[in-house]
Every structure is written in C-alpha cells, then in structure tokens.
Amino acid sequence: MDSTHALDLRSWVESSDDPQTDFPIQNLPLGMFSRDGVRPRAGIAIGDAILDLTAAASANLLSNELADVVGDCTRAGALNPLLAAGRGPLRALRAEASALLSADSPAGRRASGRVDLLVPQRDARLHLPAHVGDYTDFYASINHATNVGSMFRPDNALLPNYKWVPIGYHGRASSIVPSGTPIIRPVGQSKEEGADAPVVRPSRRMDYELEMGVWIAGGNQLGERVRITEADELIGGLSLVNDWSARDVQAWEYQPLGPFLAKSFATSVSPWIVTLDALEPFRTNAFRREVSDPQPLEYLSSTDDAERGGFAITLEVLLTSQTMREQGVDPMLVSRGSFTEMYWTIAQLVTHHASNGCNLRAGDLLGSGTVSGPAPDSRGCLLERTWKGTEPLALPTGETRAFLADGDTVTLRGSCARDGYRRIGFGEVSGTITPARA
C-alpha cells in the first residue's frame, strides 16, 4: 500500500468526498466511455464524474509513456493496450491520476477547475472496458457447488475432484455485453422430468449468477506456466459479472461436457475495472479449509496467497419487476454475500488456468463462478435462493418469483470497507429480461 490509499486523501472533485460514493480518489477504476457520438476513450471514475484520460494526455498532464498508451486505447476503443502493458504501467497511471485529482498536490492544483478534463457520468455512455478475446468461467464457491450438487445429486453433492482442482469451463466471449444491455430470453432444448422427449421453447427457468470477473494484464506465452507467486502480475483488476443462465436448458444439456447453450446467450459485465492496487487494503486470508480437506497441491500453494489471497468484497443482488417499476417500488434486496467465501483464490484460478501452458492474453476475462455464502440470504443465484423453485421469493407487490420473468431487472453491486480506509465500490451491472424472439 502507498499514499494513494491514505484515508485523508481528498480530491478537488467534490462528489468524490461523498461517503456513499463508490469512486473516491482512493479507488480510480478504469473504463471506456463515449459522449456525443465521439469514439470511445479511456477514463477513470471519480465521484459522479469521469476523468477523461485522452483530454489529460492532450493537455500534457500525463507522462509521455502513459500518454502514448492512452492514445493507443482510444485508437483501439478498449483498454487492451493498457492491460497489455502490464501491472507496472497500470500502477504508474493510478499514481499519476491520484496526483492529478488530488486537492493538495501541485499537479492537482494545475488541473483543478479544468472543465475539459471531466465528463459527468450521467452524460456518458459506458462500454465494455476491453475487447474480450477469451472468457473462462470457474466454479470457485464451495457453498454454491454443494448447494447445486445436493439438488441434482443428493447422495453425491460435491464431486471428489472439487477440493483438489479449480473447476471451470470455456465460455463464449462474443456474447459478453456491458451493463444495461437488454437480455433476450433464450430459446433452447429442455426436457421436463417424466417426459418422453425434450421440447424446444423459450427458457422457463431464467436465472442470474452473482460473480466477480478477473481481467488479465500482460499475459504468458503459449507453453509457459505461471507460478502462483507471479499470478498477481497477470491480474489487472476486478469487475462485477452476471453470468445469465437458462437452468432448464442447462439441466438437460450439461452432461457429459458441462454448460453450453444455457450460458452462451449473454454475460453482463460492469463498466469499471477496479485495479488490484486499489484493492490492496481489502486483502484478507484465503478461505479457511476444514481440517479434513486436502491442502492445495504445491503449484497452487504459497504462504502469501494463504495469508492475503482473499478479498473482502461485499456483494448484493437486487431485483425489480416491471410491476414494481410501474408502482414506484424500490428494488428488492434478494441476497448479500461475501467474496471471502470462495474456496479458491483468484491467484489460484490464474495459476491453474496456465498450468498446462495455456496462454492468457491481455483482456481475457475469468469469471469466479457464483458467489454464495452458507446462509439462504447469501446465495448468489435464484436456483439456490428459491431452492430449485420450491421456495419462491415474495416481492413487495405481492408477486412471487421462482425464476426470472420478462421485465425483471437484476442489479449486482459490490463494495469494500475496512477501518482506517475509504470505502470503495465497483459500481453496478444490470440487465432486464426481454421476451424471446419468435
């Protein structure tokens, strides 16, 4: 940690001092935005505004090296060039942006009041932070794995490999969408229990999945493995992810090779990448395993990762039905969980992914898998929250939900808080279910 994390650090952007903001000067997440038809450009969230990094570079307020990388991002329409540069330039940009936005630094005093540097978030269109070349979704929550397993395999809820190896599958990068994109109900093949044959129809068991996304920075060459002590250098930062799921399609298709069309129709990602450097104050120990559990194999084990490989991130799911919106009813909190409940750390996910020589590339996205806790109100999807639909949720309007209906909006939020440090957040990722297409 360094001076960018100081509790008393203040910005000349007044809205960043609001205790409720996700984006104080101690955060400085990265994203891509556009305004008035201009092509997307790189920015940093600060309070209710965006620091326009292209404008800052044009005003000679960034070092030459960083200004060049920012220009590359604008030309690419994505943060891939910055992520490709690796953790060093990411850290340097965070330090320069902190000084530029500080109320007390010489750089901040020169920048203060320059309206050309700031864009109100309400006036901006936010895009995916990076072009995603590859997307992998993991299954890193033991609570989620146990709950789902017990529904479908009551006598064998947790498969014997789970505590030995991080389980994942390769997802569909082309259907990753930014927050706010409508989610079209997918049509798929499903089979009701007791039926003689499957049918093709719109999914009747639409679900969300509360996840964190890990953005790869730098990367490794094909055939090159990554030591767990080096894994952090390949992690640019984290975002919120909603891996939408058609549970009826999934139940029919997932054996023997796992998820396919039940998940490839859409995955929503929040627009801001909270860098690993911003998250330093909120590190914690990895998940405490039962004494009877096997310890991670050597390539997945390090003292440092055991002591500080976890992140204390509080995550929330909110649901708003169309009727709730029409009646002016506030979103309903469906669940609240913690990222500390993940059985595998993000460093272990990265290390395992590259352990066979798979090349990870800048802009690749890894999903953590559904984040679920031990209590019913900390479960990260409706499949668990309503226990396969047998315990429907009661909404404030008198409606009930076993799974998502057309018009339902799901919003995920995340934040970190710790005594002695400013609270920081991830913003939101939301999506509204729209009817299946004929």
Side-chain angles (χ1 to χ4, degrees), residues 44 79 122 145 201 354 360 377 391 423:
I44 286 177
L79 292 175
R122 64 177 180 274
R201 66 187 179 199
L360 302 177
D377 61 0
E391 302 171 6
R423 173 194 174 278

Side-chain angles (χ1 to χ4, degrees), residues 403-420:
F403 293 96
L404 297 173
D406 290 346
D408 286 352
T409 298
V410 177
T411 301
L412 311 183
R413 299 190 302 210
S415 61
C416 304
R418 178 184 170 189
D419 289 344

Side-chain angles (χ1 to χ4, degrees), residues 225-238:
R225 301 177 69 191
V226 175
R227 294 184 178 92
I228 192 166
T229 53
E230 302 169 342
D232 277 4
E233 291 304 306
L234 271 68
I235 301 170
L238 306 183

Side-chain angles (χ1 to χ4, degrees), residues 248-268:
D248 43 358
V249 178
Q250 183 179 0
W252 174 237
E253 74 174 8
Y254 83 103
Q255 292 181 341
L257 292 180
F260 181 37
L261 299 183
K263 289 175 173 288
S264 64
F265 60 93
T267 299
S268 298

Side-chain angles (χ1 to χ4, degrees), residues 42-59:
I44 286 177
I46 179 72
D48 60 8
I50 300 170
L51 172 66
D52 185 338
L53 289 173
T54 302
S58 299

Side-chain angles (χ1 to χ4, degrees), residues 320-338:
T320 311
S321 70
Q322 184 170 332
T323 300
M324 290 171 66
R325 285 194 298 276
E326 291 170 352
Q327 296 183 6
V329 177
D330 290 337
M332 171 183 167
L333 180 66
V334 174
S335 66
R336 178 183 286 117
S338 174

Side-chain angles (χ1 to χ4, degrees), residues 37-80:
V38 178
R39 66 182 304 165
R41 50 176 60 191
I44 286 177
I46 179 72
D48 60 8
I50 300 170
L51 172 66
D52 185 338
L53 289 173
T54 302
S58 299
N60 297 317
L61 295 173
L62 297 177
S63 64
N64 291 338
E65 179 183 3
L66 291 177
D68 289 343
V69 177
V70 166
D72 290 341
C73 291
T74 298
R75 285 184 285 275
L79 292 175
N80 295 67

